[in-house]
Amino acid sequence: MALTAAAESQSKRGTILIVVIAVHAIGLWVVESGLSRSIIEMVAPPVETKIIEEEKPPEEPPPPPPPPVDATPPPPYIPPVEVQVQLPPPVNTITAEVKETPPPVTPPVMAPPTPAAPPGIPGTRPAINPKLTRPANDFYPSGSRNDKEEGFVVVKCNVGLDGKCTNPSVDTSSGFPRLDEAAIKYATQGVRFVPGTEDGKPVAMTHMFRVAFKLTVTH
């Protein structure tokens, strides 16, 4: 049985040695035939590379140009010259006050008072001249007498320098047309006036007077 175990051990060693030799032989064949390169290419695919451009920071604006330099040099500094002036000694001054005497005031010459103008002569209104005036009944219409018409009429007219009445008109009616017409006729033909005056002189002026028509009852 010891022989059997030793034989089995040698048989295993021989088998292992044969496997190792076979593996090495296969590896040599693979290297020579290029199969290993294809296996590596299949296992490791090609690596793609990309170039990423680095982002540039924004450009800053250029700085402003420097101010122009004044090429004119400043004037040279000249120190002031100190000059000492000697003042004269003080002199006593006497101030004299002169009082002027004002000239005498001459009173103004007063003009003699102007004498007051004498009062004017008051004016007068025209008045009827009885010497040249006829009675109003001389112009009484006969129809008004028969119809018993009575009343008075206020006549307005212009009295001239000759005392005559011109442009007569009825200012207040008697209510009877025939009496109003008789009053206008009487103003131009039957009545005369003394002209009115202003400052003692006769002047023409407008005047109003009343003409009465009244029936006289006889017994």
Side-chain angles (χ1 to χ4, degrees), residues 134-140 186 211-213:
R134 295 166 57 186
N137 286 339
D138 292 349
F139 296 85
Y140 210 128
Y186 173 72
V211 180
F213 295 98

Side-chain angles (χ1 to χ4, degrees), residues 51-116:
I51 299 175
I52 301 175
E53 294 182 358
E54 183 178 358
E55 294 182 359
K56 296 181 180 181
E59 296 182 358
E60 296 182 359
V69 179
D70 190 2
T72 305
Y77 174 74
I78 301 175
V81 179
E82 295 182 0
V83 179
Q84 296 181 356
V85 180
Q86 294 182 357
L87 299 176
V91 180
N92 294 330
T93 304
I94 299 174
T95 304
E97 295 182 0
V98 180
K99 294 183 179 180
E100 297 181 356
T101 303
V105 178
T106 304
V109 179
M110 301 297 292
T114 303

Side-chain angles (χ1 to χ4, degrees), residues 17 32 41 67 99 108 112 146 192 195 203 205:
L17 182 61
E32 292 179 355
E41 290 178 357
K99 294 183 179 180
N146 296 332
R192 290 293 181 270
V203 293
M205 62 179 61

Side-chain angles (χ1 to χ4, degrees), residues 1-203:
M1 290 184 67
L3 292 174
T4 305
E8 289 179 358
S9 177
Q10 291 179 356
S11 176
K12 289 181 180 179
R13 290 178 181 178
T15 303
I16 294 170
L17 182 61
I18 293 170
V19 171
V20 172
I21 293 170
V23 170
H24 282 80
I26 293 170
L28 291 173
W29 178 78
V30 168
V31 171
E32 292 179 355
S33 62
L35 183 60
S36 62
R37 182 178 299 175
S38 60
I39 293 173
I40 292 172
E41 290 178 357
M42 291 177 63
V43 173
V47 179
E48 294 181 359
T49 60
K50 293 183 179 180
I51 299 175
I52 301 175
E53 294 182 358
E54 183 178 358
E55 294 182 359
K56 296 181 180 181
E59 296 182 358
E60 296 182 359
V69 179
D70 190 2
T72 305
Y77 174 74
I78 301 175
V81 179
E82 295 182 0
V83 179
Q84 296 181 356
V85 180
Q86 294 182 357
L87 299 176
V91 180
N92 294 330
T93 304
I94 299 174
T95 304
E97 295 182 0
V98 180
K99 294 183 179 180
E100 297 181 356
T101 303
V105 178
T106 304
V109 179
M110 301 297 292
T114 303
I121 301 174
T124 59
R125 300 294 301 174
I128 295 176
N129 188 347
K131 295 180 180 181
L132 303 177
T133 300
R134 295 166 57 186
N137 286 339
D138 292 349
F139 296 85
Y140 210 128
S142 58
S144 296
R145 289 178 183 271
N146 296 332
D147 294 339
K148 310 297 182 180
E149 294 178 353
E150 293 182 328
F152 64 89
V153 182
V154 177
V155 178
K156 181 178 180 181
C157 67
N158 295 327
V159 178
L161 299 179
D162 57 356
K164 294 182 179 181
C165 182
T166 58
N167 299 325
S169 61
V170 175
D171 185 77
T172 303
S173 173
S174 64
F176 302 101
R178 286 181 293 193
L179 294 181
D180 294 345
E181 293 177 0
I184 295 298
K185 187 178 180 180
Y186 173 72
T188 57
Q189 299 179 10
V191 65
R192 290 293 181 270
F193 293 90
V194 177
T197 60
E198 290 183 1
D199 294 332
K201 297 179 180 180
V203 293

